[in-house]
Amino acid sequence: MAQGATCARTVLTAFMPRAWRRPVTSSEIDSEMAIITKGTAQMLTVEDSLKLALTSVLMSPNFVFRVELDPDRLSLTPHPLSGYEVASRLSYFLWSTMPDDTLMGAAGDGTILKADTLGTQVDRMMASPKAQALIDNFAGQWLYIREFAEMQPDPATYPMFDQPLRAALKSESEMLFKDVALNGAPVSTLLTANYLYANDRLATHYGLPAVNSTTPVKVSLTGTSHRGGILAQAGFLTATSHPIKTSPVKRGKWVLNQLLCYDVPAPPPGIQTNLDLSDVVGTLRQVLEHHRADPTCSACHNLMDPIGFGLENYNAVGAYRTQDSGMNIDSGGELPSGGKFSGADQLSSLIAADPSFPACVARKLYSYALGRLPEKAATHMDTQTLAGITSGFQSAGMSFKDLVKRIVTAPTFLSRRGELALP
Amino acid sequence: MKNANTSPPMTYQGPNRPSRRMFLGGGSVAVALPFLESLVPRSARAAAAVAPQRLVYWFIPNGINGSTVNAWKPVDVGANYTTTPILMPLDPLRADFQVVTGLENVLGKPDGPGDHAAGTASTITCAHATKSLTNLMLGVSADQIAAKAFGSQTRLPSLQLGTSGGTATGDCDNGYSCAYARNISWSGPATPLSKITDPGTVFDQIFKGFVPGQSQTDAVKRRALNQSVLDQVTAEANSLMLKLGHTDSHKVQEYLDGVRGLEQQIDGSSAGAQCTMGTRPAAAAGGDYQATVRLMCDLMVLAMQCDATRIISFMMGNATSGQTFPSLGITDGHHSISHHGNNPAKLAQLQLIGNWEMQQFAYLLTKMKAVTEGSQNMLYNSALFLSSDVSDGASHTHTEMPVLLAGHAGGKLTTGRHLTYATTAHTKVSDLLVSMLTAVGVPSPVVGDSTGVLPELMA
């Protein structure tokens, strides 16, 4: 037993700081050792007793939560986070997992709190395969890639929508994001890229020449391919469609919410949101224009629908088309700013040049990094911090990695404050 | 502070979203307890002396509609009521259930839009969901009130099943958290219980810890040791809460509540019935929806037969389910069709869907009835509730809710009729839920806005 206990203590001493992502005190180890003592007193083996102690370590709120302590729980004055707390924020932001030994080392000697160390760590972490988590989780949510798994195009209307195509759409969206995020191109390339990632399945869907590969390869686009950029990706176009038809409303709302951070209010209470328009004939655009005659609807739909109309050349599974219900498609549209366009290419260029776009990217990533929405009050630290991040990011060429560095060195990332007790 | 094992939350829509988080740092994410099953005691099981009573809560999304006003509601009342196009599949079982019309669940009405999420959340809590993405506040659901009363008698206090998963974070319906749209079972006002949607996982849950050879002494010893782990976790949580701000401290408290729920399992008796394990089912081919519903029905019966649990909730779909029904010739999504605008074609499709949903409920009832228990059967010994988030999918009403009450609760409930309440009486769904709980012996239950039992339901 004595030797077994020593061994168990060695295991806990090594395991607990990793599980809790910070150094542990000897009294914390003692508490877990007490479980082992009880177990062996009940004639359990040391190994089985250790299992119980490890269960306790992993059930502890110190493991389950990312703990950030407030020395004064009721103080609203910001205080700097500890090195270990910053290491966790950074690691969960970029890797969605616990800090590695390098980060823990930099936390231990305090160097992680310096701006230049943070910059070096960002470079290192984004070069790591673990940065895939940022694509899966940030792009997965921001660009709706996570929704691709649940898209349900009607099999009778769209028999070509099969599992290999679903997989190819996911790869296309992820690989473009990864390329832009890691290779220093301006984030507006997400909209204006003159290339895409396709395998043969996707090339067929897009009417492109075969790429002779079952895995996605980078394909340069020339002429009028009607592809390139996220707004022409069939994944996005399908995720924002109904099973049997497109939804200019959903597509327009997505562009406003996700790319321009333009909040569209919810429909007023009691409104009929799915009008019976079976007696109205024409393209979907003509049908929807009919319903926008209602002033209760038009205030918001005048913002959303004209954006979606610009993407009507893509059907509910993102295939290119020139006709809807036997009539030619009019892909003219308009942004709330008044900018007029025709088709996905022009829409993408307009958004790429709109200052709301980089501001929106900064806002989305800031929110992701902190795990909360930025406060909107003009006097709040978030507002000033985010404004500074945004202008720096824009003037420095809109590189994603530059944006990451600006966020992780911002005062709101490196500090926190307590909270007044709620009434 | 946030859950270390999920990515930070991100939300997309809705203007001026209210937030009372006015401090720096830290999101708030509901805590799931995925790894706690290992603490379930490996108890020996013996045949039950008395047939247990069970509760099943069955949720259907998007309300019920059909081509005529009486597609669901029978035109006449009493034992000899005329069945309806939607209820037709249940008619062979007419002695074993009753149609209850005219009940309301008005706390399901949201603040502004969001009827589907708020209505789903209130289905068996009969409580008003606080409109928020992060600060959840609802009520305790009827199944969890039962679980607190007698869930400890089985290895799993209750089981939550569904066909469609998804996380409990994010905006699912006009500013209502997905937690409201995807969970009908709530163990506390801020604690949704996530459901299992994979049939194989349900099977594993039913049979986890099914160790016939373990002696009673071993089981007792094991429980004592598990208790020491829980004591240690509780102590750590309590000490941590002293050093956290209000919101974070509240999150740890919620977690602690979940941990304490485990103590009930550990303290629970190990009495149970004999049952046959059978084969672990694979997920339905291609994720086929209709096959998945059937598998879930089979597993519900299996779980009750093996007395792994006596309390089950089942969501046929999440709020605003966009399920298509190709085999019924329905290729548009359910939610989309449910906004029927009185279009005859859409109403006809909704009637087909409603009829299909009742076929599935009938399948479960028939299977339960086929399980003999003493001189009776499992269905006789159970009470089942079926309802939806709204009554009419287009107008989003929370009055005249579609409600079925099936099973006899061991002879405590009346069945075999159409019972209707005048809408002017404002009789509550919650009082029907209270009647069910009372029938299975829960003392003085209160569900949401309930006022008491409905005496006419009691035999």
Side-chain angles (χ1 to χ4, degrees):
Chain A
M1 165 58 199
Q3 195 191 341
T6 310
C7 179
R9 192 175 186 96
T10 308
V11 172
L12 287 172
T13 306
F15 183 71
M16 286 173 66
R18 291 181 72 78
W20 295 0
R21 303 169 294 271
R22 62 165 172 81
V24 292
T25 63
S26 58
S27 75
E28 284 172 329
I29 298 174
D30 291 344
S31 302
E32 305 299 341
M33 281 302 294
I35 294 174
I36 294 178
T37 311
K38 277 184 199 157
T40 49
Q42 294 277 356
M43 308 308 287
L44 233 54
T45 63
V46 174
E47 193 185 353
D48 283 346
S49 306
L50 180 59
K51 279 184 194 166
L52 283 175
L54 293 174
T55 306
S56 165
V57 171
L58 295 176
M59 276 181 71
S60 167
N62 289 301
F63 171 74
V64 175
F65 295 97
R66 242 165 64 195
V67 176
E68 293 173 356
L69 300 179
D70 289 318
D72 181 351
R73 315 166 53 182
L74 298 177
S75 167
L76 296 181
T77 307
H79 65 86
L81 296 172
S82 77
Y84 293 102
E85 289 168 344
V86 169
S88 273
R89 276 201 181 188
L90 191 57
S91 191
Y92 285 96
F93 172 26
L94 298 179
W95 286 349
S96 302
T97 186
M98 58 190 262
D100 65 0
D101 289 342
T102 309
L103 285 173
M104 290 295 272
D109 62 24
T111 50
I112 200 165
L113 300 171
K114 296 177 183 161
D116 55 343
T117 313
L118 281 165
T120 313
Q121 289 300 333
V122 168
D123 287 331
R124 179 182 73 90
M125 293 173 76
M126 289 191 64
S128 155
K130 290 187 197 171
Q132 181 65 34
L134 189 63
I135 288 129
D136 294 344
N137 297 325
F138 174 68
Q141 295 178 75
W142 179 42
L143 301 177
Y144 278 26
I145 300 170
R146 281 190 186 174
E147 309 298 315
F148 294 3
E150 298 197 8
M151 300 186 297
Q152 286 188 351
D154 172 43
T157 316
Y158 301 106
M160 75 295 286
F161 194 90
D162 53 13
Q163 296 306 322
L165 179 59
R166 190 190 296 272
L169 298 180
K170 184 166 182 279
S171 298
E172 182 197 15
S173 296
E174 286 179 348
M175 290 174 80
L176 177 63
F177 178 83
K178 186 173 184 176
D179 191 51
V180 172
L182 300 185
N183 294 339
V187 291
S188 53
T189 311
L190 286 172
L191 292 153
T192 58
N194 59 356
Y195 59 89
L196 52 72
Y197 290 91
N199 62 4
D200 283 327
R201 181 69 196 83
L202 189 59
T204 306
H205 189 63
Y206 285 171
L208 295 171
V211 298
N212 299 319
S213 172
T214 53
T215 53
V217 293
K218 190 169 180 172
V219 181
S220 294
L221 299 170
T222 49
T224 52
S225 66
H226 307 296
R227 300 291 166 186
I230 51 179
L231 294 180
Q233 287 177 347
F236 149 70
L237 293 161
T238 308
T240 52
S241 290
H242 296 297
I244 48 173
K245 59 176 189 287
T246 62
S247 172
V249 180
K250 286 189 188 184
R251 289 176 178 178
K253 185 166 185 247
W254 188 91
V255 168
L256 289 173
N257 284 341
Q258 303 305 101
L259 302 185
L260 299 171
C261 291
Y262 190 106
D263 287 335
V264 183
I271 202 113
Q272 172 60 269
T273 55
N274 206 335
L275 302 174
D276 178 25
L277 297 160
S278 49
D279 55 332
V280 185
V281 291
T283 62
L284 187 57
R285 178 189 190 110
Q286 289 162 327
V287 172
L288 282 171
E289 278 173 350
H290 183 86
H291 96 100
R292 284 195 292 135
D294 182 339
T296 352
C297 305
S298 61
C300 300
H301 282 273
N302 282 346
L303 301 174
M304 296 184 283
D305 304 5
I307 299 174
F309 291 148
L311 299 170
E312 272 295 276
N313 279 129
Y314 302 94
N315 73 10
V317 293
Y320 192 78
R321 63 179 183 176
T322 54
Q323 290 205 319
D324 174 26
S325 305
M327 283 173 255
N328 288 336
I329 285 170
D330 166 9
S331 65
E334 188 176 341
L335 285 171
S337 58
K340 290 190 176 6
F341 62 91
S342 178
D345 283 352
Q346 290 183 13
L347 173 60
S348 298
S349 302
L350 269 184
I351 296 174
D354 189 329
S356 298
F357 173 67
C360 188
V361 177
R363 186 179 185 83
K364 296 286 183 192
L365 192 65
Y366 182 85
S367 178
Y368 179 84
L370 293 177
R372 61 177 177 84
L373 295 172
E375 296 293 340
K376 287 187 173 170
T379 52
H380 195 279
M381 201 169 168
D382 275 347
T383 308
Q384 303 142 31
T385 307
L386 197 46
I389 289 171
T390 301
S391 65
F393 166 55
Q394 273 177 282
S395 52
M398 289 199 276
S399 124
F400 188 83
K401 203 195 285 183
D402 172 71
L403 176 61
V404 170
K405 288 180 184 174
R406 287 175 194 276
I407 289 172
V408 304
T409 52
T412 44
F413 190 84
L414 299 171
S415 59
R416 62 174 285 122
R417 68 186 192 190
E419 184 185 16
L420 294 175
L422 294 173
Chain B
M1 179 172 58
K2 61 172 52 88
N3 187 326
N5 297 314
T6 60
S7 59
M10 229 174 103
T11 49
Y12 302 103
Q13 46 185 330
N16 310 318
R17 194 179 295 100
S19 168
R20 56 187 175 86
R21 300 180 61 78
M22 304 299 285
F23 62 101
L24 293 171
S28 49
V29 179
V31 176
L33 304 175
F35 46 78
L36 300 181
E37 301 92 351
S38 58
L39 289 181
V40 165
R42 272 47 174 170
S43 56
R45 310 182 72 82
V50 182
Q53 292 176 307
R54 285 82 164 211
L55 294 167
V56 176
Y57 299 86
W58 180 303
F59 171 83
I60 56 176
N62 300 322
I64 285 270
N65 283 107
S67 295
T68 66
V69 173
N70 292 103
W72 165 267
K73 182 181 177 178
V75 290
D76 42 5
V77 297
N80 296 317
Y81 70 92
T82 315
T83 191
T84 64
I86 293 176
L87 291 168
M88 189 85 76
L90 286 160
D91 211 42
L93 294 151
R94 88 164 27 222
D96 296 302
F97 77 101
Q98 58 183 321
V99 193
V100 186
T101 56
L103 297 178
E104 62 181 37
N105 193 355
V106 288
L107 291 186
K109 198 168 170 48
D111 303 317
D115 288 87
H116 290 297
T120 300
S122 76
T123 306
I124 56 172
T125 62
C126 302
H128 186 68
T130 296
K131 188 171 197 166
S132 174
L133 298 180
T134 49
N135 296 305
L136 307 177
M137 194 50 67
L138 181 64
V140 180
S141 54
D143 62 324
Q144 293 309 304
I145 292 168
K148 285 188 177 79
F150 63 87
S152 59
Q153 294 173 10
T154 51
R155 199 175 51 72
L156 303 170
S158 65
L159 196 54
Q160 291 75 43
L161 307 178
T163 61
S164 183
T167 64
T169 56
D171 186 345
C172 269
D173 191 359
N174 294 294
Y176 283 90
S177 164
C178 291
Y180 295 130
R182 292 172 175 167
N183 302 286
I184 58 169
S185 293
W186 290 66
S187 66
T191 315
L193 298 181
S194 63
K195 55 200 189 304
I196 313 172
T197 58
D198 170 53
T201 310
V202 181
F203 183 86
D204 294 343
Q205 281 290 317
I206 295 172
F207 292 108
K208 188 168 285 177
F210 190 74
V211 186
Q214 186 173 3
S215 77
Q216 198 62 25
T217 323
D218 286 347
V220 169
K221 194 157 73 178
R222 188 91 205 163
R223 267 179 230 169
L225 290 166
N226 287 331
Q227 187 62 53
S228 70
V229 171
L230 292 184
D231 290 346
Q232 172 61 21
V233 172
T234 305
E236 274 164 19
N238 283 331
S239 109
L240 191 58
M241 277 190 280
L242 299 173
K243 294 177 264 178
L244 297 174
H246 177 85
T247 307
D248 288 352
S249 178
H250 183 67
K251 288 283 153 197
V252 175
Q253 183 62 51
E254 282 172 23
Y255 175 69
L256 202 50
D257 291 344
V259 170
R260 285 193 180 128
L262 286 174
E263 296 188 59
Q264 289 193 340
Q265 287 186 45
I266 288 174
D267 293 341
S269 96
S270 58
Q274 297 295 335
C275 69
T276 313
M277 202 161 161
T279 328
R280 186 181 193 274
D288 180 79
Y289 173 67
Q290 307 194 16
T292 303
V293 171
R294 285 293 167 106
L295 275 174
M296 287 296 179
C297 289
D298 294 343
L299 288 162
M300 283 187 240
V301 176
L302 187 64
M304 293 188 282
Q305 216 170 351
C306 293
D307 208 22
T309 190
R310 297 174 188 174
I311 302 159
I312 299 176
S313 71
F314 174 58
M315 296 182 75
M316 263 192 127
N318 290 337
T320 67
S321 164
Q323 190 62 50
T324 59
F325 297 84
S327 71
L328 304 177
I330 296 171
T331 52
D332 206 353
H334 188 180
H335 176 238
S336 174
I337 305 168
S338 75
H339 285 268
H340 51 76
N342 291 320
N343 175 327
K346 288 185 181 178
L347 287 168
Q349 291 187 327
L350 291 172
Q351 184 163 312
L352 279 176
I353 294 173
N355 179 282
W356 181 82
E357 288 170 338
M358 292 312 119
Q359 288 175 40
Q360 311 318 308
F361 192 56
Y363 175 79
L364 175 69
L365 297 188
T366 307
K367 254 196 116 148
M368 288 172 71
K369 196 171 180 177
V371 178
T372 305
E373 293 184 339
S375 60
Q376 282 299 343
N377 60 68
M378 183 189 279
L379 179 57
Y380 182 86
N381 289 324
S382 305
L384 299 89
F385 170 80
L386 176 146
S387 192
S388 189
D389 49 327
V390 291
S391 46
D392 175 10
S395 59
H396 288 166
T397 37
H398 301 271
T399 53
E400 296 196 73
M401 296 300 290
V403 171
L404 297 181
L405 179 58
H408 304 244
K412 299 281 173 48
L413 290 175
T414 52
T415 49
R417 61 175 174 179
H418 169 212
L419 174 66
T420 193
Y421 292 91
T423 52
T424 48
H426 299 290
T427 311
K428 297 158 190 268
V429 167
S430 54
D431 286 346
L432 180 138
L433 295 171
V434 159
S435 305
M436 283 174 73
L437 291 171
T438 305
V440 299
V442 177
S444 313
V446 177
V447 181
D449 62 355
S450 66
T451 56
V453 297
L454 300 173
E456 52 280 5
L457 294 176
M458 314 306 279

